[in-house]
Amino acid sequence: MPVHSESLTLQTKTVREIVNITPQVKAALEKTGLREGIIAVTSLHVNSAIIINDEEPGLLEDIDEWLSRTAPAGEDYKHKGRFESNAGIHMQGLLLHHQVIVPFSEGRLDLGPWQWVLFVELDGLRPKKISLKIIGE
Amino acid sequence: MPVHSESLTLQTKTVREIVNITPQVKAALEKTGLREGIIAVTSLHVNSAIIINDEEPGLLEDIDEWLSRTAPAGEDYKHKGRFESNAGIHMQGLLLHHQVIVPFSEGRLDLGPWQWVLFVELDGLRPKKISLKIIGE
Amino acid sequence: MPVHSESLTLQTKTVREIVNITPQVKAALEKTGLREGIIAVTSLHVNSAIIINDEEPGLLEDIDEWLSRTAPAGEDYKHKGRFESNAGIHMQGLLLHHQVIVPFSEGRLDLGPWQWVLFVELDGLRPKKISLKIIGE
């Protein structure tokens, strides 16, 4: 049972943006020819997240506002300095988690009717790398 | 090293309910005969979650109230429409995460003394599907 | 493709503490000689978490304060009793998640520039066990 490694590099057009990466994950799986297994989809950045959710635009705005409410960005943190990002952004990343494991069966992603693999950029305008590890048979 | 695929279908009796699915996960593992590995337990619905936690009834009520406080359901969202579920429920699902990976050793689930695999129904009364992918040797 | 099982036991010096366990995870990987795969790093306790984040000390204090704000420990819960831990601590563990899956490539952990594997003790002074399952080739 081999391991297939892929990576995606994304750069969003705006500082905050949610991108549906299901097509890229599906394409990576199809390239392997594997039928049964799991895909670990992992952001290699602390200021972005990977979630599985619906992609309806109103909902994505609601999620963005909820993040800013629950883990506000701002100056009132101890994590400060020339090269430090905002502590609130780190907390938003923790809240959403930086990773999902997508199961697949008969060569197809096991996603429910309103489930998509979404990359959540929390502090963008730079290229971000996502690791895909595909394990199966 | 083969991959074993199983799925569970659950329908709770109430709209909000936390169900201990450890016995089903354990039974699925025992059927495979595998000794060492991991099980990806994934909800295929955006309005339910899978967590590992204690199952004491008072705690489960506390968790339910905390979810409603931290990500309130309500009308004050952009995600609206005839077929849309409540945005607050989506956020509660994100907060808990829809998935756990359960390690197993010597044919038994590696769960600590107060750890159980729990299915968290956030908006129930319909059948919900849970994917189990068992990978090991 | 074999599965390698390891476990770490940690006891922090203070009740609340975040410990960088990247060196131990790296050492466990190197012992296996595997080149490509994933490592499931799982806390076997409901009052501690595993996250991937920056380890700057100011940020770790910020995260600790944010946890206490978002899921306050206190007496105002139904989960009470002689042997019960505080419900707020359970919620803090849920918020952070008790587990990460670390991908690895060419024998090295795939961690971004500000990513470290961190053990978050939420209610310490007792030994805590962390499971490592390493799957790859």
Side-chain angles (χ1 to χ4, degrees):
Chain A
M1 186 161 76
V3 179
H4 293 267
S5 301
E6 291 278 338
S7 73
L8 308 175
T9 302
L10 280 186
Q11 182 162 351
T12 57
K13 287 182 195 116
T14 52
V15 174
R16 307 276 289 192
E17 199 167 322
I18 300 181
V19 182
N20 187 340
I21 59 168
T22 314
Q24 290 96 312
V25 177
K26 187 171 173 282
L29 172 60
E30 286 169 0
K31 221 167 69 175
T32 67
L34 294 176
R35 304 289 294 165
E36 300 287 321
I38 58 173
I39 309 175
V41 184
T42 307
S43 166
L44 298 183
H45 303 269
V46 292
N47 50 15
S48 63
I50 311 281
I51 62 173
I52 284 187
N53 221 281
D54 192 2
E55 59 154 1
E56 191 274 318
L59 177 67
L60 299 186
E61 280 187 63
D62 291 332
I63 290 172
D64 191 58
E65 283 165 24
W66 173 69
L67 289 171
S68 298
R69 231 169 26 239
T70 311
E75 292 304 307
D76 200 17
Y77 290 110
K78 297 189 176 72
H79 183 56
K80 277 180 189 157
R82 273 221 300 171
F83 299 107
E84 307 300 0
S85 63
N86 196 287
I89 302 297
H90 287 258
M91 291 156 195
Q92 293 176 15
L94 290 170
L95 196 53
L96 293 183
H97 212 56
H98 69 297
Q99 169 173 72
V100 296
I101 310 300
V102 186
F104 60 91
S105 301
E106 298 174 18
R108 295 172 62 183
L109 304 177
D110 291 322
L111 293 170
W114 306 106
Q115 288 189 319
W116 304 92
V117 186
L118 306 176
F119 171 75
V120 184
E121 178 58 89
L122 298 166
D123 186 18
L125 303 180
R126 278 160 294 183
K128 299 292 175 77
K129 201 170 163 189
I130 300 164
S131 150
L132 302 184
K133 290 283 174 185
I134 309 176
I135 296 180
E137 61 174 2
Chain B
M1 185 160 77
V3 179
H4 293 267
S5 301
E6 291 278 336
S7 73
L8 308 175
T9 302
L10 280 185
Q11 182 163 352
T12 58
K13 287 182 194 117
T14 52
V15 174
R16 306 275 291 191
E17 200 168 321
I18 300 182
V19 182
N20 187 342
I21 59 169
T22 313
Q24 291 97 311
V25 176
K26 186 170 175 281
L29 172 60
E30 286 168 359
K31 223 168 70 174
T32 67
L34 294 177
R35 304 288 294 164
E36 300 287 323
I38 58 173
I39 309 175
V41 184
T42 308
S43 167
L44 298 182
H45 304 268
V46 291
N47 50 16
S48 62
I50 311 281
I51 62 173
I52 284 187
N53 221 280
D54 192 3
E55 60 153 1
E56 191 273 319
L59 177 67
L60 299 187
E61 280 187 63
D62 291 332
I63 290 172
D64 192 57
E65 283 165 24
W66 173 68
L67 289 172
S68 299
R69 229 168 29 237
T70 311
E75 292 304 307
D76 198 18
Y77 290 109
K78 296 190 176 72
H79 182 57
K80 276 179 188 158
R82 274 222 301 174
F83 300 107
E84 307 300 1
S85 63
N86 195 288
I89 302 299
H90 287 258
M91 291 157 195
Q92 293 176 15
L94 290 171
L95 195 53
L96 293 183
H97 211 56
H98 70 295
Q99 168 174 72
V100 297
I101 310 300
V102 186
F104 60 90
S105 301
E106 298 173 18
R108 295 172 62 182
L109 304 177
D110 291 322
L111 292 170
W114 307 105
Q115 288 189 318
W116 304 92
V117 186
L118 306 176
F119 171 75
V120 184
E121 178 58 270
L122 299 166
D123 185 20
L125 304 179
R126 279 160 293 183
K128 299 292 174 77
K129 201 170 162 187
I130 299 164
S131 151
L132 302 184
K133 289 283 174 185
I134 309 175
I135 296 180
E137 62 176 1
Chain C
M1 185 161 78
V3 179
H4 292 267
S5 302
E6 291 279 337
S7 72
L8 308 174
T9 302
L10 281 185
Q11 182 162 353
T12 57
K13 289 184 193 113
T14 53
V15 175
R16 306 276 289 192
E17 200 169 321
I18 300 183
V19 182
N20 187 342
I21 59 170
T22 314
Q24 291 97 314
V25 177
K26 187 171 174 282
L29 172 60
E30 286 169 0
K31 221 168 71 177
T32 67
L34 294 177
R35 305 287 293 164
E36 301 287 323
I38 58 172
I39 309 176
V41 184
T42 308
S43 166
L44 298 182
H45 304 269
V46 292
N47 50 15
S48 62
I50 311 281
I51 62 173
I52 284 188
N53 221 282
D54 191 4
E55 59 154 1
E56 191 274 317
L59 177 67
L60 300 186
E61 279 187 65
D62 291 331
I63 290 172
D64 192 58
E65 282 165 25
W66 172 68
L67 288 172
S68 298
R69 232 170 24 240
T70 311
E75 292 304 307
D76 199 18
Y77 290 110
K78 297 188 176 72
H79 183 57
K80 277 180 188 159
R82 273 223 301 175
F83 300 106
E84 307 300 0
S85 63
N86 194 288
I89 302 298
H90 288 258
M91 291 156 196
Q92 294 176 14
L94 290 171
L95 195 53
L96 293 183
H97 211 57
H98 69 296
Q99 169 173 72
V100 296
I101 310 300
V102 186
F104 60 91
S105 301
E106 299 175 17
R108 296 171 61 183
L109 304 177
D110 290 322
L111 292 170
W114 306 106
Q115 289 189 318
W116 303 93
V117 186
L118 306 176
F119 171 75
V120 184
E121 177 59 90
L122 299 165
D123 186 20
L125 304 180
R126 278 159 294 183
K128 298 294 174 75
K129 201 170 163 187
I130 299 164
S131 152
L132 302 185
K133 289 283 174 185
I134 309 175
I135 296 180
E137 62 175 1

